[in-house]
Amino acid sequence: MLIRRSTICCARALRLSTHHHPIPMAVPSPLSTHLKPFSSFCHLFPCDHDFKLFPHFLSSSCFASPLSSLSSPKPNRRSKSPVAAALLEIGGVKIAKDDVVRESDPTNNVPDNIFSKIGLQLHRRDNHPIGILKNAIYDYFDSNYASKFVKFDDLCPIVSVQQNFDEVLVPADHVSRSYNDTYYVNADTVLRCHTSAHQAELLREGHSHFLVTGDVYRRDSIDSTHYPVFHQMEGVRVFSPDEWKDSGTDATSYVAMDLKKCLEGLARHLFGAVEMRWVDTYFPFTNPSFELEIYFQENWMEVLGCGVTEQDILTRNGRKGSVAWAFGLGLERLAMVLFDIPDIRLFWSTDQRFTSQFSEGKLGVKFKPFSKFPPCYKDISFWISDSFTENNLCEVVRGVAGDLVEEVKLIDNFTNKKGMTSQCYRIAYRSTERSLTDEEINQLQWNVRETVQSKLYVTLR
């Protein structure tokens, strides 16, 4: 059963965001946060971006974008990237761009290019690789758990800090809460980092079996497998004492065995008869916690993270005495493997040479590259300040060059006798759809240099 929900929670979050909140002492401003990027921050479960928290909501009623379809672009083969409307509608609540992007608010770090992705909902496009994969997972649960799992794929991505972090037991000092990792609308409101931000609310509403799919947002590095907006799915199943009391084993062991059986079946459904292994790991909201790996194309590949839900989450949300399991996976990571898509930027392409290759229900159709345009490399060197972070650099580069940037990579780092540290980054410019001109690349690089110097308080070399 697919549920369409009015996004009352989103409206609440936006009402919060219309008030200015001065930065509390514990919350530094976006560009002054000096925290090393945390590559293992899978907001709950592992996902495309290797975070260690849980992976993972959006709605036709949540953000009704005038861009009705990425899978049906205009006839021209090389169409421009879509730009979201400046006014969106969420559950009947109209939201202006200024509600989400506010440069004058020091607690806000949402740039224009991130706002432009809100409402595009790749996971709800049946002819798109992300939507095809989502539906294939739905098919597995419908076949094996008939009419049990309620599906949500239209929950609003604007959530409170409490929903995104507190309700899934993310520690108060966890690096994932920093402005370096998360997009803040204001000090109390964020663009969700994972679909787990809705888990507690759905438990309180009485749901015992549910799947949540949606777009999530994280400040991150730039390369072929990382993008600041991607898609996740998580599943939750709650067990009552009657379900394990006659099993001859304790509740936690019973639920863990059921979880592994379910997810091994899902892996076979997607990848065929592959070898699998379970790896013990840590997530703040499950105990015990596991990662499932499969041996695919001569390599071990992490597929998802999962575990037995912490009792504190269940007790706080009206499920005392119950036990539950939860899993989370990144859809881009799996789709890149199943469809042989080499660059994560391609998922956002409206070029008909990309979109026409995929059809509803056709899982695993191999992508045929339609261009092999050469990259152009430009280096930028500067003396860094104490507040510099690589994530902030990548945000600036994306803000200037958008999806024309393929990679930003640190190639040199040294500290002189005076204690000053210099870093050199190599920026690879390459379009997935056309050749870039020297003039175009030079102008982009000049703009990057100017913006890096003015916004990151570094000294160019």
Side-chain angles (χ1 to χ4, degrees):
M1 179 178 6
L2 182 61
I3 299 296
R4 305 274 188 255
R5 304 175 73 230
S6 63
T7 51
I8 298 172
C9 62
C10 189
R12 284 201 305 264
L14 281 166
R15 283 198 295 272
L16 276 174
S17 74
T18 58
H19 301 289
H20 176 74
H21 292 265
I23 301 178
M25 293 300 292
V27 183
S29 66
L31 294 179
S32 65
T33 307
H34 184 48
L35 287 171
K36 294 181 180 179
F38 186 51
S39 62
S40 287
F41 157 57
C42 181
H43 280 85
L44 292 344
F45 291 133
C47 61
D48 309 318
H49 293 215
D50 303 328
F51 289 113
K52 298 278 185 194
L53 275 180
F54 227 53
H56 339 20
F57 269 49
L58 229 152
S59 133
S60 59
S61 60
C62 179
F63 279 98
S65 169
L67 300 164
S68 59
S69 174
L70 280 181
S71 58
S72 302
K74 295 180 180 179
N76 56 305
R77 292 174 65 200
R78 299 178 184 179
S79 51
K80 294 182 179 179
S81 297
V83 177
L87 187 66
L88 305 173
E89 186 168 328
I90 305 176
V93 178
K94 294 187 183 302
I95 302 168
K97 176 181 173 182
D98 290 346
D99 292 327
V100 180
V101 181
R102 297 197 303 271
E103 291 186 10
S104 61
D105 184 349
T107 67
N108 181 287
N109 66 346
V110 181
D112 290 348
N113 61 303
I114 296 301
F115 177 80
S116 73
K117 296 295 191 293
I118 296 175
L120 296 185
Q121 300 182 309
L122 303 186
H123 60 285
R124 299 187 66 199
R125 304 180 189 280
D126 292 338
N127 292 326
H128 190 281
I130 300 299
I132 294 168
L133 175 57
K134 180 200 76 172
N135 290 332
I137 298 173
Y138 281 0
D139 289 344
Y140 170 77
F141 280 93
D142 288 343
S143 298
N144 291 275
Y145 304 89
S147 302
K148 281 194 173 183
F149 279 83
V150 181
K151 307 176 188 73
F152 299 91
D153 70 350
D154 62 354
L155 298 181
C156 180
I158 300 175
V159 299
S160 67
V161 168
Q162 180 177 348
Q163 290 173 292
N164 199 69
F165 297 119
D166 300 339
E167 290 186 341
V168 287
L169 308 183
V170 178
D173 60 351
H174 198 281
V175 67
S176 63
R177 292 177 180 255
S178 79
Y179 277 81
N180 191 54
D181 287 60
T182 294
Y183 290 108
Y184 279 79
V185 176
N186 62 33
D188 302 313
T189 311
V190 299
L191 298 182
R192 63 173 171 231
C193 303
H194 46 211
T195 48
S196 303
H198 307 277
Q199 184 183 118
E201 180 183 8
L202 294 175
L203 288 170
R204 288 193 296 271
E205 290 178 358
H207 297 287
S208 61
H209 298 66
F210 56 87
L211 301 172
V212 178
T213 313
D215 44 338
V216 297
Y217 301 77
R218 297 181 193 164
R219 302 176 90 240
D220 210 338
S221 55
I222 299 176
D223 59 38
S224 63
T225 62
H226 291 80
Y227 200 80
V229 187
F230 54 105
H231 299 79
Q232 294 179 338
M233 179 187 290
E234 82 165 37
V236 172
R237 180 180 180 184
V238 181
F239 296 76
S240 66
D242 289 342
E243 294 180 79
W244 72 76
K245 67 179 182 180
D246 297 326
S247 66
T249 185
D250 63 276
T252 298
S253 299
Y254 178 84
V255 170
M257 286 189 293
D258 184 89
L259 170 65
K260 290 181 176 181
K261 179 182 177 182
C262 170
L263 297 180
E264 287 172 0
L266 175 60
R268 284 190 290 270
H269 177 73
L270 297 176
F271 294 95
V274 292
E275 185 180 353
M276 305 179 208
R277 68 184 183 189
W278 289 97
V279 179
D280 292 337
T281 188
Y282 164 79
F283 303 118
F285 34 81
T286 56
N287 184 27
S289 302
F290 315 100
E291 289 175 349
L292 175 60
E293 296 182 350
I294 64 171
Y295 195 70
F296 189 72
Q297 297 177 347
E298 300 184 354
N299 288 294
W300 282 104
M301 182 182 78
E302 179 188 313
V303 175
L304 52 80
C306 61
V308 179
T309 306
E310 284 281 6
Q311 273 297 306
D312 195 21
I313 293 176
L314 296 171
T315 300
R316 289 182 184 184
N317 295 290
R319 298 305 181 95
K320 187 176 182 179
S322 298
V323 181
W325 56 242
F327 73 86
L329 55 84
L331 294 176
E332 273 85 349
R333 167 185 286 179
L334 301 186
M336 289 181 79
V337 173
L338 289 165
F339 293 95
D340 276 355
I341 294 174
D343 191 320
I344 197 170
R345 293 176 298 164
L346 283 164
F347 288 114
W348 299 94
S349 176
T350 60
D351 192 309
Q352 205 166 31
R353 292 171 295 177
F354 176 79
T355 59
S356 64
Q357 295 191 38
F358 309 102
S359 302
E360 181 177 357
K362 303 295 185 181
L363 181 69
V365 171
K366 302 307 179 185
F367 169 66
K368 297 181 178 63
F370 51 82
S371 64
K372 291 185 179 179
F373 301 111
C376 178
Y377 299 100
K378 296 287 185 179
D379 293 349
I380 180 171
S381 300
F382 42 77
W383 299 103
I384 66 172
S385 64
D386 289 341
S387 63
F388 175 81
T389 70
E390 187 171 307
N391 276 5
N392 284 337
L393 172 65
C394 290
E395 283 297 303
V396 168
V397 175
R398 278 198 190 97
V400 172
D403 286 352
L404 297 181
V405 181
E406 180 178 65
E407 185 178 40
V408 174
K409 183 178 181 180
L410 178 65
I411 61 172
D412 186 53
N413 182 77
F414 76 90
T415 301
N416 66 14
K417 294 180 180 179
K418 296 181 179 180
M420 298 173 62
T421 298
S422 171
Q423 293 186 346
C424 180
Y425 285 85
R426 179 156 294 163
I427 303 175
Y429 295 97
R430 174 164 28 193
S431 170
T432 59
E433 300 176 358
R434 61 185 178 85
S435 291
L436 301 176
T437 65
D438 289 340
E439 181 181 6
E440 187 176 11
I441 293 169
N442 288 338
Q443 185 61 54
L444 285 172
Q445 183 68 4
W446 176 262
N447 293 342
V448 165
R449 288 175 61 86
E450 291 278 293
T451 311
V452 164
Q453 183 167 245
S454 64
K455 287 194 172 184
L456 300 187
Y457 308 106
V458 300
T459 302
L460 296 177
R461 299 183 63 211

